[in-house]
Each structure stands twice: as C-alpha cells, then as structure tokens.
Amino acid sequence: MQGGQAIRILGKNMGRFRDIANYTEEERILSVNIGGWLSVNASRQESLTGSSTDSAFIDFIGFTLPPAAPVGFSEVTVRVAGQYATSDPRSAASLFVGCKRGYFAHSNETCSACPIGAWCNGTAGAMLTSASGTTELDSINFRSPVPVPHPYLLDPLDHTQHLDLRRLINGTVMVGNLEVDLLGYHTYPIPAAGFFDLNSSMASACPPLVRSYFPDRDVCVVACIPATACNGANICSEAYRSKAPYYRCADCNVGYFKSAGDCIKCPDSPYMLFVGAGMIIIVIATIGYLLNKYQYDIRVVSIGECRVSFD
C-alpha cells in the first residue's frame, strides 16, 4: 500500500460507533500514528456484515495512510477510548507499507515517482517459505532486452544458499539496490533502453541538475549517447562499455573504435591496414615515376573538335 490508501483497524475494547454520544471528551479522542506520522481522518466506523437474516455490526477504526508514511514495517500507535496501544515491530500487528508500480523507495523512505527513462516495479513479490525454513522470492520482471541474472534468490554472503528467513526477522537484506523484506522486496528504478543509472560508485559522474531531483537517493538516470549504447538495466550493448569518468556506456569496448560518435568494429585483420596503405603508396610512387620518365605533363589536355557539314 502507499500514501492515500484507506485502512481499517479491527480490535477489542475500542468502543462502539453507536455509543459515541455517551463518550467523555477524553474517550472521544482518537488518533492513529504510522511510523511517526499522524494518519489522516482517523474515526470510529461500523459496517454491516452477514446475510439479511443473520447480520451484525462490526466496529473498526478507519483512517487514511499519511502520504509521508515510510516504506517497510511501521509501528502503529493507536489512541482510543482513553488508552494507548502500540504494535510490535516487524510483526503481523505492525503495518507493512510498499510502493505502487511506478514508484520506488527503500525502507524508511517515502515513495517517489519513477524518474524519466526508467521503470519502477514498486514493492513486489511474496516470500515463499519451504519446509526446511528457507525462503525464496517470486521472479522479478525486469523487462530487459537481455536476460538479467537472479542473484536476488540467493544469500549474498553465500551464493550457493537461498536466503534464510531467520535473517529477515530483525531487518532487511540488501542485494545491490534491491531490498529484501519479509513480505516482499523493495525495488529501485531500472533504466530503460537508451538510459543508464549513475548510482553507487558512479555517482560522481551524475550531473548536478539530475542529482537535484533525488538528492537523498542513490538514483541518477541519464540518457546514453548514442542511445543504442545502452540495452537497459545498466547493460551496455556489445560495442560499448562503461568506465570512468563518464560511464553510461560512453566508451568503446575492446575490439571497437569510435567514428562519428559511434563505436565501429575493428577489422578482423588489422595488419591488412598497413599492407593496404603500403600498396597505395607504391602505386602512387610508380605512377609518379612513369610520368616523370616520359615527361608527361598532366596539365596538358587535348580537346577534340567535331565539325558538321550541312552541304
């Protein structure tokens, strides 16, 4: 879920909606706090459930998730009926906040709109726990033009082992810029074809204007020049590679050279270039020798004359 979502809290001893008129001023005070942010429009509500012959009213607290609610597990503090109640962290009673598709964030960050030139999966996936207690993630749809490896299914400290669910009880696990959590994973922007993300160790190459869009995030999506240099997901096409100081697949790969801004494949036999150049020099020298030997002046040009008689 994301900021703006309507949420219900069910519980006991919260007081019935129909009895509000009999509450004291203290008992009428109601507030819901999500991860340090006050929710919007918290109020007692009720709904009718069941069939027409067997129905009942259910009382609950309804509120709107604050736009600045942090991503990940958040403690929920409720003040109702003159009492305070706080959920345990990272438990079924706490609130798990994630970004919608088209937005991105890691834990304790708010959801931001995906930058131009990238796509964002938001918070996606569900943890699958096996009988042995290990867990995996659902497949990630990167929509990349080339296959993307799946290190996210493995323990980053031991790539032969799946992530152990117990490692996620007290906190998340970062694998690159992917954050694995108990109820799924929080993704960051993935560059589309023609774009590159100057993140992590490449952040020094990020233009100041682009950096200003997300000053506190490890995100800097820029266009590649030429666009064909980048296949997407920070993968360069065959002819290009990324290296300091510009990165973004701006340099030619080994076996290619730059011509008019594009990287062109080198000839299969580079020695033939020298052979060809040598032959051209020999031909020119031979022609010059012959012209000098026969004292032929190339400035002299004979122009024929055609006469037509009408007699």
Side-chain angles (χ1 to χ4, degrees):
M1 62 186 62
Q2 194 170 331
Q5 294 287 322
I7 302 175
R8 293 182 176 184
I9 296 179
L10 302 177
K12 298 179 180 179
N13 301 321
M14 297 189 302
R16 297 191 305 176
F17 173 79
R18 68 193 70 178
D19 296 332
I20 291 180
N22 300 323
Y23 292 163
T24 65
E25 290 299 321
E26 175 68 15
E27 292 172 337
R28 290 179 183 177
I29 297 176
L30 175 63
S31 65
V32 179
N33 192 289
I34 307 296
W37 295 88
L38 190 64
S39 65
V40 181
N41 302 327
S43 63
R44 289 183 177 86
Q45 301 177 32
E46 68 177 6
S47 63
L48 186 64
T49 63
S51 63
S52 57
T53 57
D54 185 16
S55 61
F57 283 99
I58 294 180
D59 291 279
F60 61 90
I61 296 174
F63 66 95
T64 302
L65 189 66
V71 164
F73 283 95
S74 292
E75 292 183 350
V76 180
T77 300
V78 179
R79 181 182 181 184
V80 60
Q83 306 175 70
Y84 282 93
T86 301
S87 66
D88 294 329
R90 300 184 67 78
S91 70
S94 58
L95 185 66
F96 183 78
V97 178
C99 298
K100 297 178 182 178
R101 185 177 294 273
Y103 293 80
F104 74 97
H106 283 158
S107 293
N108 299 317
E109 296 176 344
T110 57
C111 296
S112 296
C114 201
I116 296 174
W119 71 83
C120 297
N121 290 327
T123 299
M127 304 303 295
L128 303 177
T129 306
S130 67
S132 62
T134 58
T135 182
E136 296 178 346
L137 299 176
D138 286 341
S139 297
I140 303 171
N141 178 21
F142 277 107
R143 293 185 292 148
S144 174
V146 296
V148 177
H150 262 280
Y152 317 111
L153 302 179
L154 304 176
D155 187 326
L157 301 180
D158 182 357
H159 284 189
T160 65
Q161 300 294 324
H162 290 291
L163 282 171
D164 192 332
L165 181 62
R166 291 170 296 183
R167 296 187 57 205
L168 300 174
I169 295 299
N170 296 320
T172 61
V173 174
M174 293 296 301
V175 184
N177 63 358
L178 182 88
E179 185 178 29
V180 184
D181 211 337
L182 279 172
L183 297 181
Y185 45 86
H186 306 293
T187 63
Y188 249 39
I190 300 177
F195 292 85
F196 196 91
D197 187 6
L198 295 169
N199 56 9
S200 301
S201 61
M202 300 176 289
S204 59
C206 182
L209 179 60
V210 180
R211 172 61 61 200
S212 66
Y213 298 151
F214 303 104
D216 300 324
R217 307 279 177 98
D218 187 20
V219 173
C220 179
V221 178
V222 295
C224 296
I225 302 175
T228 54
C230 301
N231 286 340
N234 273 15
I235 298 175
C236 301
S237 60
E238 181 182 355
Y240 298 85
R241 62 176 174 172
S242 285
K243 66 177 186 178
Y246 303 111
Y247 302 104
R248 70 172 77 179
C249 303
D251 291 275
C252 294
N253 209 345
V254 176
Y256 292 81
F257 68 96
K258 184 156 288 188
S259 176
D262 295 320
C263 290
I264 309 299
K265 188 174 179 60
C266 296
D268 294 334
S269 180
Y271 297 104
M272 291 303 296
L273 291 175
F274 299 99
V275 174
M279 293 182 65
I280 293 174
I281 294 174
I282 292 174
V283 171
I284 294 175
T286 301
I287 294 174
Y289 169 76
L290 293 175
L291 292 176
N292 182 64
K293 178 179 180 180
Y294 295 104
Q295 298 182 348
Y296 185 80
D297 191 348
I298 62 174
R299 294 174 299 176
V300 177
V301 179
S302 176
I303 302 176
E305 182 178 354
C306 179
R307 297 184 179 183
V308 180
S309 176
F310 295 95
D311 294 341

